[in-house]
Amino acid sequence: METDISNNRYTQQILKVAQVLELGEPRVSGNDLNMLCPFHKEDNPSFGINANNGLYHCFACGAKGHISKLTENLRCNILAEQTDSIGDFEVTAKIDIVSYSVKPQGADIGAIRNRLADVSLSKYTIKGLIGQITTGHNVSLSGAKKNNEWQGQQVVMIDIDNDYAMTFKEIIDFAKGVGFEPTFAYQTYSSTENICRCRFAYVFKEVITDKQVYSSISNTLINKFQDYGSDRACADFCRLFYGTMNKDVYTSNLIYSCRFTNEQLSEVGKILGNVHKSKSSSSKMLDIDGSEDSEFFN
C-alpha cells in the first residue's frame, strides 16, 4: 500500500521543484519522493528527497544535502557536450596587443591594465584565442577592470599552481577522472620540466551573465583541484590571465553549458524560500567578499 505523504512538510515544495526542473513525475517510496537526478544525466530515477526532513540523496552520483541548499548547489551544475571541433567556436574576450616572452612583473602589469581598458571586447575563435595566448598575449575574459563592471563571460579559467612532480598529462588525466576535463589547457610561464603548472579553460555554449552562477562554477572548479594548488583568486570577476610561450596545448572538443536556466533557478529559489537573485534583478552587484570594486590581477 502506497504511503500517503501529501501532508509531509516538504511534499508540495518537492513536487513543484520537480516540475520546474523537469525531473519527471516523482514516485512515492516511504517518506521519499524519487525522481531523475538534477546533478547528472540519467534515464532511470535514482534521486530521492525525504518529504519529512528535506534531505536529498542520489544513489547513482552520490549528490546529497538538504533541500534548503538545493538552489545554491544547482548553480554550479554544468554539463559537457562533445563537439566535432571546438576550434571554430567563437567567444568574446579582450586581448592585449603586446606579447611577453616571460611572465609580466611590476610596471608591466599596470601597462597591461591600461592597454586593455582601451580595447573593445571582440570575438575570437578558440583556435585564434589559443594562438594569441601561446604567443605571450594576456587576456581578460570578462573585459571588466573592476568587479562591479562585470557583465558576463563565456570562458572560465583556473590556474593549477601544482608543487608536485607531475606531468601535464597526469594533471589532465586527473581532471578527466573527476569529471571536469577542460576544453583546452596550457602550461604557464612558471611550469618546469619536473613540476607542471598549467591553466584550465572551460568554454561555455552561452555567455554566463549571472554573478552567482559564475561564482558557483568557478569555485566548484577551484575546489576540485585544490590538492594541486588551484588559485582561489581565479574566481575574481575581473581576473587577468597571462599568456605563455609554451606550445604544448591540450584540447578536448568539449563545450560546457549550465544545466538549468537563470529563470528555473529563480523559480526554484522562490519555491524553497531562498530567492535566487539574478544579475538583471539586482541593482548593485557585489564581489565575492562583499566589496564593490576590485582591480583585476594575476
Side-chain angles (χ1 to χ4, degrees):
M1 182 176 178
E2 191 174 90
T3 306
D4 182 8
I5 62 171
S6 58
N7 293 321
N8 282 25
R9 181 178 179 183
Y10 295 102
T11 298
Q12 295 308 312
Q13 287 178 310
I14 294 171
L15 293 174
K16 291 177 181 177
V17 167
Q19 183 178 20
V20 170
L21 299 182
E22 301 177 358
L23 302 178
E25 186 68 28
R27 302 173 184 173
V28 177
S29 176
N31 281 315
D32 287 353
L33 282 165
N34 297 326
M35 65 202 76
L36 296 174
C37 181
F39 294 99
H40 78 282
K41 287 184 176 181
E42 63 177 5
D43 297 319
N44 298 311
S46 60
F47 182 79
I49 307 181
N50 188 293
N52 189 46
N53 60 29
L55 294 174
Y56 65 78
H57 180 240
C58 177
F59 291 95
C61 72
K64 60 182 178 180
H66 191 269
I67 194 171
S68 62
K69 296 290 184 180
L70 186 61
T71 312
E72 178 181 341
N73 293 337
L74 288 177
R75 289 190 194 121
C76 57
N77 190 358
I78 59 177
L79 300 174
E81 176 184 328
Q82 191 76 37
T83 62
D84 292 333
S85 175
I86 196 68
D88 293 330
F89 188 81
E90 291 187 332
V91 296
T92 56
K94 283 187 176 185
I95 297 180
D96 186 14
I97 60 173
V98 177
S99 170
Y100 289 81
S101 59
V102 295
K103 184 176 180 178
Q105 303 286 343
D108 284 336
I109 299 173
I112 295 167
R113 293 173 179 167
N114 290 333
R115 283 194 300 270
L116 283 175
D118 295 327
V119 173
S120 299
L121 275 171
S122 300
K123 288 275 190 181
Y124 295 90
T125 64
I126 297 301
K127 183 179 179 180
L129 179 63
I130 292 173
Q132 291 285 321
I133 289 172
T134 55
T135 51
H137 293 272
N138 310 299
V139 58
S140 170
L141 298 168
S142 69
K145 187 175 181 180
K146 296 182 179 181
N147 282 350
N148 66 349
E149 295 174 355
W150 187 92
Q151 297 295 316
Q153 65 189 72
Q154 202 167 349
V155 182
V156 178
M157 284 190 182
I158 59 167
D159 287 347
I160 309 296
D161 294 332
N162 164 59
D163 286 324
Y164 302 102
M166 295 186 71
T167 66
F168 191 32
K169 182 180 182 302
E170 286 173 329
I171 297 178
I172 294 294
D173 287 343
F174 174 80
K176 292 178 181 179
V178 296
F180 287 99
E181 182 179 358
T183 305
F184 68 89
Y186 61 94
Q187 296 185 61
T188 59
Y189 289 112
S190 56
S191 186
T192 67
E193 184 177 347
N194 297 320
I195 298 178
C196 173
R197 292 189 171 183
C198 54
R199 183 164 293 132
F200 286 173
Y202 297 84
V203 175
F204 281 75
K205 186 181 295 187
E206 305 289 343
V207 177
I208 301 167
T209 58
D210 188 285
K211 272 198 157 186
Q212 291 183 357
V213 172
Y214 171 77
S215 292
S216 294
I217 292 171
S218 58
N219 282 304
T220 294
L221 291 170
I222 289 167
N223 290 337
K224 283 291 180 182
F225 299 101
Q226 61 184 346
D227 290 342
Y228 297 94
S230 53
D231 187 351
R232 292 206 165 271
C234 292
D236 194 87
F237 295 102
C238 48
R239 177 76 168 178
L240 170 68
F241 291 98
Y242 296 145
T244 186
M245 283 296 182
N246 193 312
K247 305 300 181 183
D248 188 7
V249 177
Y250 172 84
T251 58
S252 68
N253 285 334
L254 289 179
I255 188 168
Y256 283 81
S257 61
C258 297
R259 179 168 181 180
F260 301 110
T261 65
N262 290 341
E263 289 74 18
Q264 286 176 301
L265 293 174
S266 179
E267 188 62 29
V268 169
K270 291 175 183 177
I271 293 168
L272 300 179
N274 46 13
V275 177
H276 170 75
K277 294 180 180 179
S278 68
K279 168 182 164 292
S280 59
S281 65
S282 176
S283 59
K284 179 182 287 187
M285 296 188 296
L286 300 181
D287 299 339
I288 296 171
D289 62 1
S291 61
E292 290 182 38
D293 293 337
S294 174
E295 293 290 332
F296 58 21
F297 57 91
N298 194 325

